[in-house]
Amino acid sequence: MALGESQQLAEDTLRERLIGARWILAAAALGLGGASWAGTMTPGAALAIGGLVALGAMLPTRRRPVAAALARFGGEPKPSPRAEERLPALVRALPEAALLLDARGTVLTANAGAVGLLASVRVGDPVSFAVRVPEVLEALRASITDGAARRIEFAERVPIDRWLRADIVPIRPGLLREGAPTEAVLLSFIDLTPQRRVEQMRVDFVANASHELRTPLASLSGFIETLQGPARNDASARERFLKIMNEQARRMSRLIDDLLSLSRIELNAHLRPEAAVDLVAVVSHVRDALAPLGRERGVEIAFAPPADPVEVRGDRDELIRVFENLVENALKYGATGGLVEIAIQREGTDALVTVRDYGPGIAPEHVPRLTERFYRVDTAHSREQGGTGLGLAIVKHIVARHRGKMGIESVPGAGSTFSVRLSTASAAKR
């Protein structure tokens, strides 16, 4: 700022103070002049007291930082009593998660979005207690120092993968005045997770679909060419080929359905379901739905439901999908044992559901990779059973969305046990 501009600014500020105190100065002058004229005070003493009063009127008054910023932003010579409440009220009304900080990084206001996003945020605490992202804290310190707005994109991996954008906007007492100190900072957050998941969904769908659909498409093309050529008039070959083509088409349909289901689950992975769901009713429904498949394969589905409901916070359709996949896998790959057992039990504040079969079991080296997409212990047998290689991947992602845990235990020759642990509805409220 130029010297002339600084001098002019100081003169304008002094003039505003004197104008603001004009009635006090006039009253003091009349009182002191009257006292001097009446002889109750010497002229020298009256002049000294008048000088002190004038000097006091020219001194700056102390104002709270947010109130002062509001007064200057609104162009008011003096802040109104409620001026300091306006900016916090605006922050609380913002639709996105937002925090109002002072120049030291202390939280002055946190709106409802910020409380939902940053569970540990508290008014009066340093922002570093709630935001533990070094890039954001460094950008915040830099913005307080130089008064420049900044935008930072970052990712969180715990408790789930999430992408966010932080917008840092310093608030200064003179928005048009260079070099004015920062008195407050608006820190807002935008959730980019849906956008990033859609982008990843497109990439994964193209990569997975192109890989897994190549084989059935090649088979269909080959059979069509054969039926159009050498087997044009061969009725027995035509019937055999049409049956295989129908199986391949159904396999592609199942694969696309599973890919789309997995993509939808991943898209909403950061949103925890909140509806109350009775696990006993869900598992009973799954047992009844898969009973015909069990009879077809000669496998009994045993389930002894608890006497009382076991409620969890979740999405009923997704939980049905979880236990359908687990029980169907047990019927397909553990059918030699002749029995699939389902159990529900409470363990503290958790509900534990187990699905056990008595089939051939799984070798230890395969167990850690069972939830990977398209991973199969026996590819040929899996395809014969109509598997797409996505069932356990879907289970894993649904359980993760419900903030639960999935477990796999297997002993070769003694069967396998798949477990799902979820917090009960009463525990999820806390």
Side-chain angles (χ1 to χ4, degrees):
M1 183 182 294
L3 181 60
E5 293 179 356
S6 300
Q7 183 176 358
Q8 182 63 40
L9 179 61
E11 292 175 358
D12 291 343
T13 302
L14 180 59
R15 188 180 298 110
E16 290 178 1
R17 292 174 186 158
L18 291 175
I19 291 173
R22 61 186 181 278
W23 298 113
I24 296 176
L25 293 175
L30 287 173
L32 292 173
S36 177
W37 180 77
T40 58
M41 181 180 294
T42 64
L47 287 174
I49 294 174
L52 290 174
V53 172
L55 180 61
M58 290 186 288
L59 291 175
T61 57
R62 183 178 182 83
R63 290 188 280 186
R64 294 179 64 179
V66 175
L70 285 166
R72 291 167 186 147
F73 178 75
E76 301 173 5
K78 293 193 297 181
S80 65
R82 300 186 62 186
E84 63 187 42
E85 300 175 6
R86 296 176 189 170
L87 190 54
L90 287 173
V91 172
R92 287 191 290 270
L94 290 175
E96 63 268 11
L99 302 173
L100 180 64
L101 315 175
D102 65 12
R104 296 176 298 175
T106 302
V107 178
L108 301 177
T109 303
N111 68 2
V115 173
L117 183 69
L118 309 168
S120 58
V121 67
R122 298 288 184 275
V123 173
D125 285 351
V127 68
S128 57
F129 285 10
V131 180
R132 297 180 177 86
V133 182
E135 308 95 281
V136 175
L137 296 177
E138 183 60 32
L140 182 61
R141 283 191 288 268
S143 292
I144 292 174
T145 301
D146 60 23
R150 284 173 169 78
R151 174 172 291 179
I152 302 294
E153 293 188 7
F154 61 97
E156 290 185 340
R157 303 300 180 190
V158 178
I160 58 172
D161 288 345
R162 184 167 58 178
W163 291 265
L164 299 167
R165 187 185 78 205
D167 292 303
I168 304 168
V169 182
I171 301 171
R172 296 180 291 170
L175 297 182
L176 301 178
R177 188 187 309 165
E178 295 181 4
T182 298
E183 292 193 346
V185 179
L186 178 64
L187 175 60
S188 60
F189 296 92
I190 302 295
D191 192 352
L192 302 178
T193 304
Q195 175 185 336
R196 294 295 179 88
R197 290 194 183 280
V198 167
E199 294 171 358
Q200 188 62 42
M201 181 178 66
R202 293 190 188 120
V203 173
D204 290 345
F205 184 82
V206 171
N208 294 328
S210 63
H211 174 73
E212 289 295 319
L213 293 175
R214 186 178 293 113
T215 301
L217 280 174
S219 298
L220 286 173
S221 298
F223 287 129
I224 290 172
E225 291 176 2
T226 303
L227 290 173
Q228 289 175 336
R232 182 189 301 273
N233 299 316
D234 189 337
S236 62
R238 182 169 60 248
E239 290 300 320
R240 187 172 68 257
F241 291 166
L242 286 174
K243 180 180 179 182
I244 298 174
M245 291 169 66
N246 182 54
E247 292 174 354
Q248 294 293 337
R250 292 174 62 186
R251 178 187 164 200
M252 284 194 295
S253 178
R254 289 194 302 271
L255 178 60
I256 291 172
D257 288 343
D258 282 353
L259 281 172
L260 291 175
S261 296
L262 187 57
S263 297
R264 284 192 294 267
I265 294 165
E266 289 180 328
L267 185 63
N268 296 316
H270 62 295
L271 301 175
R272 183 177 184 176
E274 294 296 335
V277 180
D278 181 10
L279 279 182
V280 177
V282 167
V283 174
S284 297
H285 171 82
V286 170
R287 179 197 57 186
D288 295 341
L290 294 177
L293 179 61
R295 288 192 294 269
E296 178 185 325
R297 295 174 179 265
V299 181
E300 178 189 355
I301 303 176
F303 174 51
D308 299 323
V310 180
E311 285 194 345
V312 298
R313 294 287 172 183
D315 183 304
R316 184 176 185 275
D317 291 339
E318 289 189 356
L319 291 176
I320 288 176
R321 185 71 181 273
V322 165
F323 299 115
E324 276 183 346
N325 284 358
L326 293 180
V327 175
E328 190 172 351
N329 279 354
L331 293 175
K332 289 179 178 178
Y333 306 111
T336 56
L339 176 65
V340 171
E341 293 178 338
I342 310 174
I344 300 178
Q345 56 186 352
R346 290 179 178 269
E347 292 188 357
T349 59
D350 295 340
L352 181 67
V353 183
T354 57
V355 177
R356 181 180 180 185
D357 66 68
Y358 293 86
I362 305 167
E365 63 269 21
H366 295 297
V367 172
R369 302 190 60 189
L370 287 177
T371 56
E372 294 180 12
R373 296 184 187 191
F374 303 112
Y375 185 82
R376 299 178 176 92
V377 176
D378 185 338
T379 302
H381 181 59
S382 174
R383 288 177 175 168
E384 286 175 5
Q385 299 294 329
T388 63
L390 293 172
L392 290 179
I394 290 174
V395 170
K396 181 186 73 172
H397 282 81
I398 292 176
V399 172
R401 184 183 177 223
H402 286 70
R403 309 298 188 264
K405 295 181 180 179
M406 176 184 177
I408 304 174
E409 298 178 3
S410 185
V411 178
S416 305
T417 301
F418 291 79
S419 62
V420 174
R421 182 182 296 274
L422 301 169
S423 296
T424 57
S426 57
K429 291 179 181 179
R430 294 198 289 267

